[in-house]
Amino acid sequence: MTAPVPAAPVIGRTRARFRMHWPWYIWAIPFLVPLVPGALILLTGDVLAAVITVIVLVLLATLPLLWVLASFRIHVTDRAIVTGPFLPGFARSVHLFQDIDVSTIRAWSNVSAYLRSSRTPALLTAGQVNRGSRHGISFRVRRIGDMRGGQLRENQMTRDLGGTAEIMSVAGSAERLIRSLATAMQDAGVAPADAVIAQALPPGRLSPERDSHLQQIPGWPHPSEERFEDLPPEVQQRLRDHLRRD
């Protein structure tokens, strides 16, 4: 996947769709965008300007933001897990079954505890985990694909790191996601469904104490345990360039 390839033949058809979880305070933001400026203008006594401002911001900001939030999905296909906003022009992440370490697949009932344990700001998870997230899954993957415009290429940052551990929240039951994933993996010839289910279920609970995720989530830390300073200079520079672009 170093060069872009058509995504459809690689990932296959979509078998199941799951919504990614957004907490209530994230859903409230699109509504506050027009209400706050409108209220401030209303304090000046100009009712007409306040109404026009609210209407314009609802059309230009609230509705598009709601559309984007509602588009975040986790799709289980014939050969992959695809995550991200399912809208034209947006990039999505592709985790091929063959690249997933089956022994690290796990369901969780309180994935937001990971943010406190790892001291990770929720904004850096790109919507995969948020404060208030409950159900979710985690797994280790050696490669991640970036899909945009029907084309798929390998994620350079994950490639340089030699793999990564993924954790993501799902609206509803993580058990349904695991069972769908287990069936798809079996049909793809990657692993028996019973083996996936035995590894991943029942859902566990993460401890919020600092660094507890390193012991509790299978696949952490990175097997090589290399520090950034120990990586070759050209790899360090590629990682810096990638972070700068993001």
mmCIF file with all atom_site columns, all heavy atoms in Angstrom, residues 112-129:
data_model
loop_
_atom_site.group_PDB
_atom_site.id
_atom_site.type_symbol
_atom_site.label_atom_id
_atom_site.label_alt_id
_atom_site.label_comp_id
_atom_site.label_asym_id
_atom_site.label_entity_id
_atom_site.label_seq_id
_atom_site.pdbx_PDB_ins_code
_atom_site.Cartn_x
_atom_site.Cartn_y
_atom_site.Cartn_z
_atom_site.occupancy
_atom_site.B_iso_or_equiv
_atom_site.pdbx_formal_charge
_atom_site.auth_seq_id
_atom_site.auth_comp_id
_atom_site.auth_asym_id
_atom_site.auth_atom_id
_atom_site.pdbx_PDB_model_num
ATOM 1   N N   . SER A 1 112 ? -13.252 5.638  28.177 1.00 0.00 ? 112 SER A N   1
ATOM 2   C CA  . SER A 1 112 ? -12.796 6.993  28.484 1.00 0.00 ? 112 SER A CA  1
ATOM 3   C C   . SER A 1 112 ? -11.748 7.004  29.595 1.00 0.00 ? 112 SER A C   1
ATOM 4   O O   . SER A 1 112 ? -10.975 7.959  29.727 1.00 0.00 ? 112 SER A O   1
ATOM 5   C CB  . SER A 1 112 ? -13.972 7.892  28.881 1.00 0.00 ? 112 SER A CB  1
ATOM 6   O OG  . SER A 1 112 ? -14.603 7.413  30.045 1.00 0.00 ? 112 SER A OG  1
ATOM 7   N N   . ALA A 1 113 ? -11.689 5.919  30.395 1.00 0.00 ? 113 ALA A N   1
ATOM 8   C CA  . ALA A 1 113 ? -10.650 5.829  31.429 1.00 0.00 ? 113 ALA A CA  1
ATOM 9   C C   . ALA A 1 113 ? -9.260  5.838  30.809 1.00 0.00 ? 113 ALA A C   1
ATOM 10  O O   . ALA A 1 113 ? -8.287  6.233  31.453 1.00 0.00 ? 113 ALA A O   1
ATOM 11  C CB  . ALA A 1 113 ? -10.849 4.575  32.261 1.00 0.00 ? 113 ALA A CB  1
ATOM 12  N N   . TYR A 1 114 ? -9.168  5.430  29.558 1.00 0.00 ? 114 TYR A N   1
ATOM 13  C CA  . TYR A 1 114 ? -7.881  5.431  28.857 1.00 0.00 ? 114 TYR A CA  1
ATOM 14  C C   . TYR A 1 114 ? -7.299  6.838  28.763 1.00 0.00 ? 114 TYR A C   1
ATOM 15  O O   . TYR A 1 114 ? -6.077  7.026  28.872 1.00 0.00 ? 114 TYR A O   1
ATOM 16  C CB  . TYR A 1 114 ? -8.055  4.826  27.464 1.00 0.00 ? 114 TYR A CB  1
ATOM 17  C CG  . TYR A 1 114 ? -6.989  5.224  26.486 1.00 0.00 ? 114 TYR A CG  1
ATOM 18  C CD1 . TYR A 1 114 ? -5.704  4.688  26.559 1.00 0.00 ? 114 TYR A CD1 1
ATOM 19  C CD2 . TYR A 1 114 ? -7.244  6.153  25.480 1.00 0.00 ? 114 TYR A CD2 1
ATOM 20  C CE1 . TYR A 1 114 ? -4.717  5.058  25.660 1.00 0.00 ? 114 TYR A CE1 1
ATOM 21  C CE2 . TYR A 1 114 ? -6.266  6.533  24.583 1.00 0.00 ? 114 TYR A CE2 1
ATOM 22  C CZ  . TYR A 1 114 ? -5.010  5.980  24.671 1.00 0.00 ? 114 TYR A CZ  1
ATOM 23  O OH  . TYR A 1 114 ? -4.041  6.359  23.792 1.00 0.00 ? 114 TYR A OH  1
ATOM 24  N N   . LEU A 1 115 ? -8.149  7.847  28.567 1.00 0.00 ? 115 LEU A N   1
ATOM 25  C CA  . LEU A 1 115 ? -7.668  9.220  28.424 1.00 0.00 ? 115 LEU A CA  1
ATOM 26  C C   . LEU A 1 115 ? -6.953  9.681  29.691 1.00 0.00 ? 115 LEU A C   1
ATOM 27  O O   . LEU A 1 115 ? -5.917  10.338 29.624 1.00 0.00 ? 115 LEU A O   1
ATOM 28  C CB  . LEU A 1 115 ? -8.831  10.158 28.095 1.00 0.00 ? 115 LEU A CB  1
ATOM 29  C CG  . LEU A 1 115 ? -9.556  9.890  26.780 1.00 0.00 ? 115 LEU A CG  1
ATOM 30  C CD1 . LEU A 1 115 ? -10.733 10.844 26.624 1.00 0.00 ? 115 LEU A CD1 1
ATOM 31  C CD2 . LEU A 1 115 ? -8.606  10.017 25.599 1.00 0.00 ? 115 LEU A CD2 1
ATOM 32  N N   . ARG A 1 116 ? -7.507  9.347  30.835 1.00 0.00 ? 116 ARG A N   1
ATOM 33  C CA  . ARG A 1 116 ? -6.869  9.732  32.094 1.00 0.00 ? 116 ARG A CA  1
ATOM 34  C C   . ARG A 1 116 ? -5.610  8.910  32.336 1.00 0.00 ? 116 ARG A C   1
ATOM 35  O O   . ARG A 1 116 ? -4.582  9.442  32.769 1.00 0.00 ? 116 ARG A O   1
ATOM 36  C CB  . ARG A 1 116 ? -7.845  9.542  33.255 1.00 0.00 ? 116 ARG A CB  1
ATOM 37  C CG  . ARG A 1 116 ? -7.257  9.933  34.607 1.00 0.00 ? 116 ARG A CG  1
ATOM 38  C CD  . ARG A 1 116 ? -8.250  9.751  35.730 1.00 0.00 ? 116 ARG A CD  1
ATOM 39  N NE  . ARG A 1 116 ? -9.419  10.622 35.564 1.00 0.00 ? 116 ARG A NE  1
ATOM 40  C CZ  . ARG A 1 116 ? -10.453 10.621 36.390 1.00 0.00 ? 116 ARG A CZ  1
ATOM 41  N NH1 . ARG A 1 116 ? -10.476 9.806  37.429 1.00 0.00 ? 116 ARG A NH1 1
ATOM 42  N NH2 . ARG A 1 116 ? -11.466 11.432 36.180 1.00 0.00 ? 116 ARG A NH2 1
ATOM 43  N N   . SER A 1 117 ? -5.685  7.620  32.052 1.00 0.00 ? 117 SER A N   1
ATOM 44  C CA  . SER A 1 117 ? -4.534  6.755  32.282 1.00 0.00 ? 117 SER A CA  1
ATOM 45  C C   . SER A 1 117 ? -3.329  7.173  31.443 1.00 0.00 ? 117 SER A C   1
ATOM 46  O O   . SER A 1 117 ? -2.200  7.184  31.930 1.00 0.00 ? 117 SER A O   1
ATOM 47  C CB  . SER A 1 117 ? -4.911  5.303  31.961 1.00 0.00 ? 117 SER A CB  1
ATOM 48  O OG  . SER A 1 117 ? -3.782  4.471  31.933 1.00 0.00 ? 117 SER A OG  1
ATOM 49  N N   . SER A 1 118 ? -3.575  7.524  30.179 1.00 0.00 ? 118 SER A N   1
ATOM 50  C CA  . SER A 1 118 ? -2.472  7.855  29.268 1.00 0.00 ? 118 SER A CA  1
ATOM 51  C C   . SER A 1 118 ? -2.192  9.343  29.197 1.00 0.00 ? 118 SER A C   1
ATOM 52  O O   . SER A 1 118 ? -1.269  9.761  28.486 1.00 0.00 ? 118 SER A O   1
ATOM 53  C CB  . SER A 1 118 ? -2.809  7.354  27.864 1.00 0.00 ? 118 SER A CB  1
ATOM 54  O OG  . SER A 1 118 ? -3.981  7.998  27.370 1.00 0.00 ? 118 SER A OG  1
ATOM 55  N N   . ARG A 1 119 ? -3.018  10.152 29.920 1.00 0.00 ? 119 ARG A N   1
ATOM 56  C CA  . ARG A 1 119 ? -2.875  11.611 29.888 1.00 0.00 ? 119 ARG A CA  1
ATOM 57  C C   . ARG A 1 119 ? -2.971  12.144 28.459 1.00 0.00 ? 119 ARG A C   1
ATOM 58  O O   . ARG A 1 119 ? -2.214  13.024 28.043 1.00 0.00 ? 119 ARG A O   1
ATOM 59  C CB  . ARG A 1 119 ? -1.556  12.045 30.555 1.00 0.00 ? 119 ARG A CB  1
ATOM 60  C CG  . ARG A 1 119 ? -1.424  11.588 31.988 1.00 0.00 ? 119 ARG A CG  1
ATOM 61  C CD  . ARG A 1 119 ? -0.121  11.998 32.629 1.00 0.00 ? 119 ARG A CD  1
ATOM 62  N NE  . ARG A 1 119 ? 1.029   11.328 32.045 1.00 0.00 ? 119 ARG A NE  1
ATOM 63  C CZ  . ARG A 1 119 ? 1.374   10.066 32.290 1.00 0.00 ? 119 ARG A CZ  1
ATOM 64  N NH1 . ARG A 1 119 ? 0.647   9.337  33.133 1.00 0.00 ? 119 ARG A NH1 1
ATOM 65  N NH2 . ARG A 1 119 ? 2.433   9.537  31.726 1.00 0.00 ? 119 ARG A NH2 1
ATOM 66  N N   . THR A 1 120 ? -3.902  11.573 27.697 1.00 0.00 ? 120 THR A N   1
ATOM 67  C CA  . THR A 1 120 ? -4.111  11.967 26.304 1.00 0.00 ? 120 THR A CA  1
ATOM 68  C C   . THR A 1 120 ? -5.287  12.932 26.203 1.00 0.00 ? 120 THR A C   1
ATOM 69  O O   . THR A 1 120 ? -6.395  12.585 26.628 1.00 0.00 ? 120 THR A O   1
ATOM 70  C CB  . THR A 1 120 ? -4.402  10.733 25.433 1.00 0.00 ? 120 THR A CB  1
ATOM 71  O OG1 . THR A 1 120 ? -3.303  9.820  25.518 1.00 0.00 ? 120 THR A OG1 1
ATOM 72  C CG2 . THR A 1 120 ? -4.612  11.128 23.972 1.00 0.00 ? 120 THR A CG2 1
ATOM 73  N N   . PRO A 1 121 ? -5.105  14.136 25.651 1.00 0.00 ? 121 PRO A N   1
ATOM 74  C CA  . PRO A 1 121 ? -6.241  15.028 25.422 1.00 0.00 ? 121 PRO A CA  1
ATOM 75  C C   . PRO A 1 121 ? -7.225  14.389 24.445 1.00 0.00 ? 121 PRO A C   1
ATOM 76  O O   . PRO A 1 121 ? -6.813  13.805 23.432 1.00 0.00 ? 121 PRO A O   1
ATOM 77  C CB  . PRO A 1 121 ? -5.600  16.281 24.817 1.00 0.00 ? 121 PRO A CB  1
ATOM 78  C CG  . PRO A 1 121 ? -4.164  16.216 25.222 1.00 0.00 ? 121 PRO A CG  1
ATOM 79  C CD  . PRO A 1 121 ? -3.816  14.757 25.275 1.00 0.00 ? 121 PRO A CD  1
ATOM 80  N N   . ALA A 1 122 ? -8.510  14.504 24.742 1.00 0.00 ? 122 ALA A N   1
ATOM 81  C CA  . ALA A 1 122 ? -9.524  13.870 23.889 1.00 0.00 ? 122 ALA A CA  1
ATOM 82  C C   . ALA A 1 122 ? -9.445  14.374 22.454 1.00 0.00 ? 122 ALA A C   1
ATOM 83  O O   . ALA A 1 122 ? -9.729  13.633 21.504 1.00 0.00 ? 122 ALA A O   1
ATOM 84  C CB  . ALA A 1 122 ? -10.921 14.120 24.459 1.00 0.00 ? 122 ALA A CB  1
ATOM 85  N N   . LEU A 1 123 ? -9.029  15.637 22.262 1.00 0.00 ? 123 LEU A N   1
ATOM 86  C CA  . LEU A 1 123 ? -8.964  16.186 20.915 1.00 0.00 ? 123 LEU A CA  1
ATOM 87  C C   . LEU A 1 123 ? -7.943  15.453 20.045 1.00 0.00 ? 123 LEU A C   1
ATOM 88  O O   . LEU A 1 123 ? -8.064  15.450 18.817 1.00 0.00 ? 123 LEU A O   1
ATOM 89  C CB  . LEU A 1 123 ? -8.615  17.676 20.958 1.00 0.00 ? 123 LEU A CB  1
ATOM 90  C CG  . LEU A 1 123 ? -9.694  18.607 21.523 1.00 0.00 ? 123 LEU A CG  1
ATOM 91  C CD1 . LEU A 1 123 ? -9.163  20.030 21.603 1.00 0.00 ? 123 LEU A CD1 1
ATOM 92  C CD2 . LEU A 1 123 ? -10.953 18.551 20.664 1.00 0.00 ? 123 LEU A CD2 1
ATOM 93  N N   . LEU A 1 124 ? -6.949  14.827 20.652 1.00 0.00 ? 124 LEU A N   1
ATOM 94  C CA  . LEU A 1 124 ? -5.922  14.136 19.881 1.00 0.00 ? 124 LEU A CA  1
ATOM 95  C C   . LEU A 1 124 ? -6.349  12.755 19.418 1.00 0.00 ? 124 LEU A C   1
ATOM 96  O O   . LEU A 1 124 ? -5.624  12.110 18.661 1.00 0.00 ? 124 LEU A O   1
ATOM 97  C CB  . LEU A 1 124 ? -4.635  14.022 20.704 1.00 0.00 ? 124 LEU A CB  1
ATOM 98  C CG  . LEU A 1 124 ? -3.928  15.335 21.045 1.00 0.00 ? 124 LEU A CG  1
ATOM 99  C CD1 . LEU A 1 124 ? -2.610  15.051 21.769 1.00 0.00 ? 124 LEU A CD1 1
ATOM 100 C CD2 . LEU A 1 124 ? -3.653  16.155 19.780 1.00 0.00 ? 124 LEU A CD2 1
ATOM 101 N N   . THR A 1 125 ? -7.498  12.282 19.853 1.00 0.00 ? 125 THR A N   1
ATOM 102 C CA  . THR A 1 125 ? -7.948  10.956 19.433 1.00 0.00 ? 125 THR A CA  1
ATOM 103 C C   . THR A 1 125 ? -8.809  11.003 18.184 1.00 0.00 ? 125 THR A C   1
ATOM 104 O O   . THR A 1 125 ? -9.291  9.970  17.726 1.00 0.00 ? 125 THR A O   1
ATOM 105 C CB  . THR A 1 125 ? -8.756  10.267 20.545 1.00 0.00 ? 125 THR A CB  1
ATOM 106 O OG1 . THR A 1 125 ? -10.027 10.917 20.685 1.00 0.00 ? 125 THR A OG1 1
ATOM 107 C CG2 . THR A 1 125 ? -8.012  10.299 21.867 1.00 0.00 ? 125 THR A CG2 1
ATOM 108 N N   . ALA A 1 126 ? -9.024  12.202 17.620 1.00 0.00 ? 126 ALA A N   1
ATOM 109 C CA  . ALA A 1 126 ? -9.807  12.359 16.381 1.00 0.00 ? 126 ALA A CA  1
ATOM 110 C C   . ALA A 1 126 ? -11.197 11.746 16.514 1.00 0.00 ? 126 ALA A C   1
ATOM 111 O O   . ALA A 1 126 ? -11.734 11.169 15.576 1.00 0.00 ? 126 ALA A O   1
ATOM 112 C CB  . ALA A 1 126 ? -9.066  11.758 15.197 1.00 0.00 ? 126 ALA A CB  1
ATOM 113 N N   . GLY A 1 127 ? -11.784 11.874 17.697 1.00 0.00 ? 127 GLY A N   1
ATOM 114 C CA  . GLY A 1 127 ? -13.141 11.384 17.887 1.00 0.00 ? 127 GLY A CA  1
ATOM 115 C C   . GLY A 1 127 ? -13.240 9.934  18.257 1.00 0.00 ? 127 GLY A C   1
ATOM 116 O O   . GLY A 1 127 ? -14.338 9.438  18.497 1.00 0.00 ? 127 GLY A O   1
ATOM 117 N N   . GLN A 1 128 ? -12.096 9.201  18.322 1.00 0.00 ? 128 GLN A N   1
ATOM 118 C CA  . GLN A 1 128 ? -12.169 7.776  18.607 1.00 0.00 ? 128 GLN A CA  1
ATOM 119 C C   . GLN A 1 128 ? -12.507 7.497  20.067 1.00 0.00 ? 128 GLN A C   1
ATOM 120 O O   . GLN A 1 128 ? -13.168 6.503  20.372 1.00 0.00 ? 128 GLN A O   1
ATOM 121 C CB  . GLN A 1 128 ? -10.856 7.092  18.228 1.00 0.00 ? 128 GLN A CB  1
ATOM 122 C CG  . GLN A 1 128 ? -10.624 7.071  16.730 1.00 0.00 ? 128 GLN A CG  1
ATOM 123 C CD  . GLN A 1 128 ? -9.465  6.190  16.317 1.00 0.00 ? 128 GLN A CD  1
ATOM 124 O OE1 . GLN A 1 128 ? -9.406  5.757  15.186 1.00 0.00 ? 128 GLN A OE1 1
ATOM 125 N NE2 . GLN A 1 128 ? -8.550  5.927  17.220 1.00 0.00 ? 128 GLN A NE2 1
ATOM 126 N N   . VAL A 1 129 ? -12.046 8.365  20.991 1.00 0.00 ? 129 VAL A N   1
ATOM 127 C CA  . VAL A 1 129 ? -12.383 8.244  22.407 1.00 0.00 ? 129 VAL A CA  1
ATOM 128 C C   . VAL A 1 129 ? -12.631 9.644  22.946 1.00 0.00 ? 129 VAL A C   1
ATOM 129 O O   . VAL A 1 129 ? -11.895 10.571 22.613 1.00 0.00 ? 129 VAL A O   1
ATOM 130 C CB  . VAL A 1 129 ? -11.256 7.578  23.225 1.00 0.00 ? 129 VAL A CB  1
ATOM 131 C CG1 . VAL A 1 129 ? -11.686 7.403  24.672 1.00 0.00 ? 129 VAL A CG1 1
ATOM 132 C CG2 . VAL A 1 129 ? -10.864 6.238  22.628 1.00 0.00 ? 129 VAL A CG2 1
#
